[in-house]
Amino acid sequence: MSRSGRLPALQWARGYDGGTLAADLLAAVIVTIMLIPQSLAYAMLAGLPPEAGLYASILPLVAYAAFGTSRVLAVGPVAVVSLMTASAVAPVAAQGLASPQAAAMTLALLSGAMLVGAGLFRLGFLANFLSHPVMSGFITASGLLIAAGQVKHILGIQAGGTTLAEIVPALLAQAGRVNGWTLAVGLGALAFLYAARRWARRGLTAAGLPGWLADMLARAAPILAIAVSILLARALDLGAKGVALVGSIPQGLPVPGLPALSIDLLAALAPAAALISVVGFVESVSVGQTLAARRRERIAPDQELVGLGAANIAAGLSGGFPVTGGFARSVVNEDAGARTPAAGIFTAIGIAGAALFLTPLLADLPQAVLAATIILAVLSLVDLRAVLRVLAYSRQDFAAMAATILVTLALGVEQGIGTGVALSLVMQLYRSARPHMAVVGQVPGTEHFRNVLRHEVVTWPEILSLRVDESLYFANSRFLEDRIAALVAEHPRLRHVVLMCPAVSDIDASALKSLEEINRRLAESGVRFHLSEVKGPVMDRLKRSDFLHHLSGQVFLSQHEAICRLRGAEAQGAAQKLS
Amino acid sequence: MSRSGRLPALQWARGYDGGTLAADLLAAVIVTIMLIPQSLAYAMLAGLPPEAGLYASILPLVAYAAFGTSRVLAVGPVAVVSLMTASAVAPVAAQGLASPQAAAMTLALLSGAMLVGAGLFRLGFLANFLSHPVMSGFITASGLLIAAGQVKHILGIQAGGTTLAEIVPALLAQAGRVNGWTLAVGLGALAFLYAARRWARRGLTAAGLPGWLADMLARAAPILAIAVSILLARALDLGAKGVALVGSIPQGLPVPGLPALSIDLLAALAPAAALISVVGFVESVSVGQTLAARRRERIAPDQELVGLGAANIAAGLSGGFPVTGGFARSVVNEDAGARTPAAGIFTAIGIAGAALFLTPLLADLPQAVLAATIILAVLSLVDLRAVLRVLAYSRQDFAAMAATILVTLALGVEQGIGTGVALSLVMQLYRSARPHMAVVGQVPGTEHFRNVLRHEVVTWPEILSLRVDESLYFANSRFLEDRIAALVAEHPRLRHVVLMCPAVSDIDASALKSLEEINRRLAESGVRFHLSEVKGPVMDRLKRSDFLHHLSGQVFLSQHEAICRLRGAEAQGAAQKLS
């Protein structure tokens, strides 16, 4: 790979000019306005202090700009990964292995190292384990879990829990302690944000504003809600009335440094880091590919792993938590005109400015407003129509999806995604456990052989011709043993079995063992085993084993040749017996 | 399934006559002689008192005779499963969750329940997860581990450990305490058993004995070693000289009953029970199929699960431990003339007789003799040539096998088999991550389309024809997205992409999502997406989704039709522009 392949920034940095700068700067301003409330909110969702969200939106963006391949992908904290972070950090912090911040930084470092490693060793294909119905079900369930988990902030009560089974009873138990002021602020923010999302752009355009300005103002609604609620909190002294506020946030930039690492901590966080890596990568690549396609560009998935890994390592070194590419903010970034990843660097500068200058203002921000931001953001993740579409399309895929959703809601995120992946694999194994095969006979007067069940063909009682229509490997080779055993038991006069392999492009060691067993068992029951129409590479490989030496029969170039020779030999044998 | 399908004993019991009885009785005597020392030895290997081995060879044989489908399979304790039992029971007993005996009974019950459940729900295909190189590597590594673990009994020292990394240092640390008498007995037994196995049959035949008698005497060598060593131990008072003896064994039959069950105990043993079930089933079915083939019979794998499960439940209810079909004893059973599973019932009666009358004699049996029996039995499991054969045949399969062996030896049996299965799956996913596909063009003057890389064909800059040669599912569908994105980026004048699907027999929900993404991304870059030669069932399924409504292009019956229509439309469009 060329130098610019490993450091894609070298490509776009060369032709950088004033027009590109202006476009990137404008996009950065808009994304910064969108990212400040999200960073604070997702830090709260991850169970971390608000500054962690800001820190996760500074250096990671710079790292992605240097190593990522998408020109417009905007990385940072996102809802699902923040939930997974909360779920991973809570038990570790409860055990006293590390503070929540240190655990979250370690998680980001681990995930970053895994992603970079996967990129360097080209292991991106591992993300294929996560089938679409499982990923989609997981995101829907996460959205529901996140929204349910934020209800306590809107109601102003203390209620723990990381699964629906824990959250709902906890909320009900505390229902009598709802704080009216908090509820008012929370519902107000929800209503305002909902209205802004639904009608602001159209209303502002109708009022005569140009489209881009209407759009920008609509996107600024969350920051407006924050500003207004801070002013309200100060004016009405809401803190004294029991409304939970964000509290003081340290002013300044993160000081880069490693969290204290221990083997116990790394071991405890490794499974969660692996899952976060896979989920973050799948999400990010999907966003990146969609945006690249619009410009007939493409992203390089293995290099994306490196870019995303670098962003997570940067998050881990600078007081942040796991990040990935976000769909909404990337679309905003592109719509706003971002042309190169420099827009990400400018956004990072904007967030750094917020960390330096705005944090004192945020102390009086009601947490209920952040909760309202989260709830509105995640409800778009809940896609029940997708569940119905999958149900209509495939029952097996629906089973994997439903299991993922139910287990995620009932037992937690790691269990949910693990169940879904395991079930997908089991069902794929089930689907592929029976290789397509057919007993064939000769089409009269031709050299063609066809399925005996579908065509009028000729067969002979002493010869069984079985055509295999796919590669043989560990998942399906034992079925071939069973099938041949059954056919032999059904055909008492059988002397020859010919396995036709025109579509077999691979035979792994398990399948080779099965062929050896078939050959041995057939020989013990007095039947010879032959192959026909074996592809060249498969034949080369078989020659590297001693299978062909032990084969009781022969390998024929064509099925027609096999039948001619075997019938000829049988006729000769019969004639000798008679004479 | 018919009544005799679920209870195969009804089939063979009907035609039972005197000749069959005599044959079955003779086979039972020979197998009993072979099974007594093995039962004692494998109980020691499993870390259990000797009577557990006898108990595991009584009721389980009766249960298999009732529910199993193989006419000659001999079930009972076997080496690899005994090692797995030791590995599962030791930590549970150390934690104080249960006594070793109770834990082993629970393990057998759990494994039995899993096997019966798998049989009833036809989940036998799950055993396909265990590829042949992994199973073969696991058995080789188990043989080495077992032999290494018995060395302490031969040396007469105390040395723990369940992995090579633990066993070897423990042996070295105790090397100064070797008991000379024990070593003499152990080496003597090893030499005698080795010689008997190697030369006894030939020597006795040469001395004029009939073949069957020579064979039977050769097989009785272990029981002879036991008898002689008991006499020696008494005559020389070896117990007082520091030779470890078996000690007193309770006389009588096991009293059937449930061990005390707790959720914690079941949860702790469940993973090991699952692995034991899979390993035992794969081993047993392989033995059963081999023996059935000799008589042109077959076994029913799903019913075998029930038979093996019933045997394990019986072991769990009668003081035993997990059992499965053993290769050596089944071959002996068949060679000795067993005709029906009644031979198993007679063997059970024989072992019950031993438990009733022989146990007082066994108290003075040196453990070193049992260890020698085990070592000689398991060294035949170590098959280094199979490792070399797999290395020559396939590097990927070898990698899975080598990982299984190394991890089993270094970390233990569960970790070893888990690593092997995981690695097989990852490599299978890697192999299948790239669906076979080819860009095709028209063979001039024909309606045929062939790979552009291999044939002289015609293509058009505005049309890309891509043929997919296998079913699309979650493991390979993302690669299709990448490939099309790359092709579109390479062809600036592209207006149409046609996906030829003559070999696509399934499209799962993940692949459908990929097709939707491809369609959407192509549309955004101004390219229309078409399909051609879609199979009937696949088309029916696509109609159940809304993919065809959103498809920017059309579905053509043939690739030729697609090209004619698309070129016609392009020509028309160009003509309109010109006019």
Side-chain angles (χ1 to χ4, degrees):
Chain A
M1 191 173 256
S2 70
R3 206 172 145 212
S4 62
R6 280 279 177 242
L7 199 64
L10 295 179
Q11 275 182 339
W12 56 260
R14 263 179 224 139
Y16 209 78
D17 59 19
T20 315
L21 174 67
D24 283 346
L25 271 177
L26 177 65
V29 169
I30 296 178
V31 173
T32 303
I33 290 173
M34 183 176 177
L35 203 45
I36 292 173
Q38 285 194 357
S39 297
L40 300 172
Y42 293 146
M44 184 171 90
L45 169 54
L48 299 171
E51 65 270 21
L54 295 174
Y55 298 168
S57 306
I58 303 175
L59 277 193
L61 279 65
V62 178
Y64 182 82
F67 294 99
T69 58
S70 168
R71 298 208 154 199
V72 292
L73 190 76
V75 301
V78 307
V80 173
V81 168
S82 300
L83 174 70
M84 296 177 83
T85 300
S87 158
V89 161
V92 166
Q95 281 173 47
L97 277 174
S99 70
Q101 293 94 310
M105 288 168 70
T106 309
L107 192 64
L109 277 179
L110 260 178
S111 167
M114 289 174 179
L115 287 163
V116 170
L120 297 179
F121 292 104
R122 304 182 160 268
L123 300 178
F125 73 92
L126 287 177
N128 290 348
F129 271 118
L130 202 57
S131 72
H132 174 68
V134 171
M135 180 75 177
S136 163
F138 177 66
I139 288 178
T140 285
S142 297
L144 289 172
L145 265 191
I146 293 170
Q150 296 305 312
V151 170
K152 65 181 175 194
H153 294 300
I154 303 281
L155 298 179
I157 57 181
Q158 303 280 333
T162 54
T163 65
L164 271 200
E166 292 165 5
I167 293 171
V168 173
L171 287 177
L172 292 177
Q174 299 286 320
R177 305 193 182 174
V178 171
N179 180 296
W181 285 101
T182 309
L183 185 61
V185 171
L187 289 181
L190 271 178
F192 171 73
L193 291 171
Y194 181 78
R197 170 177 289 216
R198 192 86 192 256
W199 296 296
R201 197 177 177 287
R202 220 186 308 159
L204 292 170
T205 319
L209 266 66
W212 67 269
L213 188 58
D215 212 43
M216 190 164 159
L217 286 175
R219 297 208 188 281
I223 215 157
L224 190 64
I226 284 180
V228 170
S229 65
I230 290 174
L231 293 177
L232 269 180
R234 288 190 183 171
L236 302 176
D237 196 11
L238 289 179
K241 298 192 165 91
V243 175
L245 305 177
V246 162
S248 73
I249 304 176
Q251 196 171 359
L253 294 175
V255 180
L258 270 180
L261 300 175
S262 74
I263 296 289
D264 283 351
L265 181 62
L266 292 174
L269 292 173
L275 286 179
I276 286 176
S277 302
V278 173
V279 169
F281 173 62
V282 169
E283 188 65 9
S284 191
V285 160
S286 156
V287 175
Q289 281 180 329
T290 297
L291 297 177
R294 293 190 187 172
R295 310 160 167 228
R296 291 201 177 198
E297 292 168 358
R298 62 187 294 246
I299 59 167
D302 282 321
Q303 180 62 29
E304 270 309 278
L305 284 166
V306 176
L308 211 52
N312 274 293
I313 290 175
L317 294 176
S318 61
F321 59 99
V323 296
T324 190
F327 183 68
R329 76 189 60 150
S330 299
V331 171
V332 169
N333 193 34
E334 199 209 12
D335 282 354
R339 290 197 202 157
T340 75
I345 298 178
F346 300 142
T347 305
I349 295 173
I351 303 282
L356 280 172
F357 306 115
L358 295 186
T359 41
L361 306 177
L362 294 170
D364 289 328
L365 171 61
Q367 292 183 359
V369 174
L370 290 180
T373 316
I374 295 175
I375 290 175
L376 271 176
V378 300
L379 283 184
S380 67
L381 301 179
V382 178
D383 188 355
L384 296 179
R385 264 185 231 151
V387 180
L388 294 178
R389 274 201 304 272
V390 169
L391 173 62
Y393 187 72
S394 155
R395 272 158 197 254
Q396 286 195 346
D397 280 314
F398 174 74
M401 190 179 207
T404 307
I405 293 176
L406 295 177
V407 176
T408 301
L409 291 178
L411 300 180
V413 288
E414 292 170 23
Q415 290 82 349
I417 211 159
T419 303
V421 168
L423 208 56
S424 308
L425 283 175
V426 166
M427 290 191 304
Q428 175 56 25
L429 199 71
Y430 180 75
R431 269 196 292 259
S432 63
R434 299 169 167 240
H436 292 190
M437 54 174 90
V439 174
V440 297
Q442 190 166 24
V443 182
T446 73
E447 298 189 359
H448 296 300
F449 288 77
R450 294 280 181 277
N451 192 336
V452 296
L453 300 177
R454 301 211 191 145
H455 299 84
E456 287 286 325
V457 291
V458 183
T459 59
W460 298 268
E462 73 275 16
I463 304 174
L464 177 79
S465 302
L466 187 66
R467 192 190 66 219
V468 185
D469 292 339
E470 57 190 279
S471 290
L472 294 170
Y473 73 111
F474 66 84
N476 64 19
S477 62
R478 284 201 188 101
F479 182 72
L480 183 66
E481 296 180 43
D482 290 351
R483 183 75 196 278
I484 289 185
L487 287 167
V488 171
E490 283 166 18
H491 293 78
R493 291 172 57 194
L494 203 61
R495 302 280 308 273
H496 302 278
V497 169
V498 187
L499 196 69
M500 252 181 101
C501 309
V504 175
S505 46
D506 193 27
I507 293 179
D508 80 355
S510 300
L512 177 70
K513 182 71 185 176
S514 287
L515 292 179
E516 286 170 355
E517 288 292 312
I518 290 167
N519 179 54
R520 196 162 56 80
R521 292 174 193 157
L522 287 178
E524 289 188 348
S525 58
V527 176
R528 290 173 65 200
F529 186 44
H530 312 269
L531 303 180
S532 76
E533 308 190 6
V534 181
K535 287 186 178 177
V538 174
M539 197 65 194
D540 291 345
R541 203 164 199 199
L542 287 178
K543 283 180 183 158
R544 297 215 304 270
S545 76
D546 57 359
F547 172 69
L548 298 172
H549 296 289
H550 296 300
L551 185 65
S552 62
Q554 303 169 55
V555 181
F556 297 103
L557 282 180
S558 75
Q559 182 64 18
H560 182 246
E561 185 200 350
I563 294 296
C564 291
R565 296 263 213 96
L566 296 177
R567 291 199 62 213
E570 288 292 314
Q572 219 170 23
Q576 280 171 352
K577 271 188 204 162
L578 288 175
S579 67
Chain B
M1 192 172 256
S2 70
R3 207 171 144 215
S4 63
R6 281 276 176 246
L7 199 62
L10 296 181
Q11 276 182 337
W12 56 260
R14 261 179 227 139
Y16 209 79
D17 59 19
T20 315
L21 173 67
D24 282 347
L25 270 178
L26 176 67
V29 170
I30 297 178
V31 174
T32 302
I33 289 172
M34 183 175 175
L35 204 45
I36 291 174
Q38 285 193 359
S39 298
L40 300 171
Y42 293 146
M44 184 171 90
L45 168 53
L48 298 172
E51 65 270 22
L54 295 175
Y55 298 168
S57 306
I58 303 174
L59 277 193
L61 279 65
V62 178
Y64 182 82
F67 294 99
T69 59
S70 168
R71 299 208 151 198
V72 292
L73 190 75
V75 301
V78 307
V80 172
V81 169
S82 301
L83 174 71
M84 295 176 84
T85 300
S87 158
V89 162
V92 166
Q95 281 173 47
L97 277 174
S99 71
Q101 292 94 310
M105 287 167 70
T106 309
L107 193 63
L109 277 179
L110 260 177
S111 167
M114 288 175 180
L115 287 163
V116 170
L120 296 180
F121 292 104
R122 305 183 159 268
L123 299 178
F125 72 91
L126 287 177
N128 290 349
F129 270 118
L130 202 56
S131 72
H132 174 70
V134 171
M135 180 74 178
S136 163
F138 177 66
I139 288 178
T140 285
S142 297
L144 290 172
L145 264 190
I146 293 170
Q150 297 305 312
V151 170
K152 64 181 177 195
H153 294 299
I154 303 281
L155 299 178
I157 57 181
Q158 303 281 333
T162 55
T163 65
L164 272 199
E166 292 166 5
I167 292 172
V168 174
L171 286 176
L172 292 176
Q174 299 285 321
R177 306 195 182 173
V178 170
N179 180 296
W181 285 100
T182 309
L183 186 61
V185 171
L187 289 181
L190 270 178
F192 171 73
L193 291 171
Y194 181 79
R197 168 177 291 217
R198 192 88 193 253
W199 297 295
R201 197 177 177 287
R202 219 186 308 159
L204 292 171
T205 319
L209 264 65
W212 66 269
L213 188 59
D215 212 43
M216 192 166 159
L217 287 175
R219 296 207 190 280
I223 216 158
L224 190 65
I226 285 179
V228 170
S229 65
I230 291 173
L231 293 177
L232 268 180
R234 289 190 182 170
L236 303 176
D237 195 11
L238 290 179
K241 298 192 166 89
V243 175
L245 305 178
V246 163
S248 73
I249 304 177
Q251 198 171 357
L253 293 176
V255 180
L258 268 179
L261 300 175
S262 74
I263 295 289
D264 283 351
L265 181 63
L266 291 174
L269 292 173
L275 286 180
I276 286 175
S277 302
V278 174
V279 169
F281 173 61
V282 169
E283 187 65 9
S284 191
V285 160
S286 156
V287 175
Q289 281 180 328
T290 297
L291 297 177
R294 293 190 186 171
R295 308 160 169 228
R296 290 203 177 196
E297 292 169 358
R298 62 188 293 246
I299 59 167
D302 282 322
Q303 181 61 30
E304 269 309 279
L305 284 165
V306 176
L308 211 52
N312 274 291
I313 291 175
L317 294 176
S318 62
F321 59 99
V323 295
T324 189
F327 183 69
R329 75 188 62 149
S330 299
V331 171
V332 168
N333 194 32
E334 200 210 12
D335 282 354
R339 291 198 202 156
T340 75
I345 299 178
F346 300 143
T347 305
I349 295 173
I351 303 282
L356 280 173
F357 306 114
L358 294 186
T359 41
L361 306 176
L362 294 169
D364 290 327
L365 171 61
Q367 291 184 358
V369 175
L370 290 180
T373 316
I374 295 176
I375 290 175
L376 270 177
V378 300
L379 284 183
S380 67
L381 300 179
V382 178
D383 189 355
L384 296 178
R385 265 186 229 149
V387 180
L388 294 177
R389 274 201 304 273
V390 169
L391 173 61
Y393 186 73
S394 155
R395 274 160 195 252
Q396 286 194 348
D397 281 313
F398 174 73
M401 190 178 206
T404 307
I405 294 177
L406 295 177
V407 175
T408 302
L409 292 178
L411 300 179
V413 289
E414 292 170 23
Q415 291 83 348
I417 210 159
T419 303
V421 168
L423 208 56
S424 309
L425 283 174
V426 165
M427 290 191 305
Q428 175 55 25
L429 199 71
Y430 179 76
R431 271 196 290 261
S432 64
R434 300 172 167 238
H436 293 189
M437 54 173 90
V439 175
V440 297
Q442 189 167 24
V443 181
T446 74
E447 297 188 0
H448 296 301
F449 289 77
R450 293 280 181 278
N451 191 337
V452 296
L453 301 177
R454 300 210 192 147
H455 299 84
E456 286 286 325
V457 291
V458 183
T459 59
W460 298 268
E462 72 276 15
I463 304 175
L464 177 78
S465 301
L466 188 66
R467 191 190 67 218
V468 185
D469 292 339
E470 58 190 279
S471 290
L472 294 170
Y473 73 111
F474 66 84
N476 64 19
S477 63
R478 285 201 188 100
F479 182 72
L480 182 67
E481 296 180 43
D482 290 351
R483 183 75 197 278
I484 289 186
L487 287 167
V488 170
E490 284 166 18
H491 294 77
R493 290 172 57 194
L494 202 61
R495 301 279 309 273
H496 302 278
V497 169
V498 187
L499 196 69
M500 253 180 102
C501 308
V504 176
S505 47
D506 192 27
I507 294 179
D508 79 355
S510 300
L512 178 70
K513 182 71 184 173
S514 288
L515 292 179
E516 287 170 354
E517 288 292 313
I518 290 168
N519 180 53
R520 196 163 56 79
R521 290 173 193 157
L522 287 177
E524 289 188 347
S525 58
V527 177
R528 290 174 67 200
F529 186 44
H530 311 269
L531 303 179
S532 75
E533 307 190 8
V534 181
K535 287 185 179 178
V538 174
M539 197 65 193
D540 291 344
R541 202 163 200 201
L542 287 179
K543 283 178 184 160
R544 296 217 304 271
S545 75
D546 56 359
F547 172 69
L548 298 172
H549 295 288
H550 296 300
L551 186 64
S552 62
Q554 303 169 58
V555 180
F556 297 103
L557 283 181
S558 74
Q559 181 65 16
H560 183 246
E561 184 201 351
I563 294 297
C564 291
R565 295 263 215 98
L566 295 177
R567 289 199 62 213
E570 288 292 315
Q572 218 171 23
Q576 278 172 350
K577 270 188 205 161
L578 287 176
S579 67

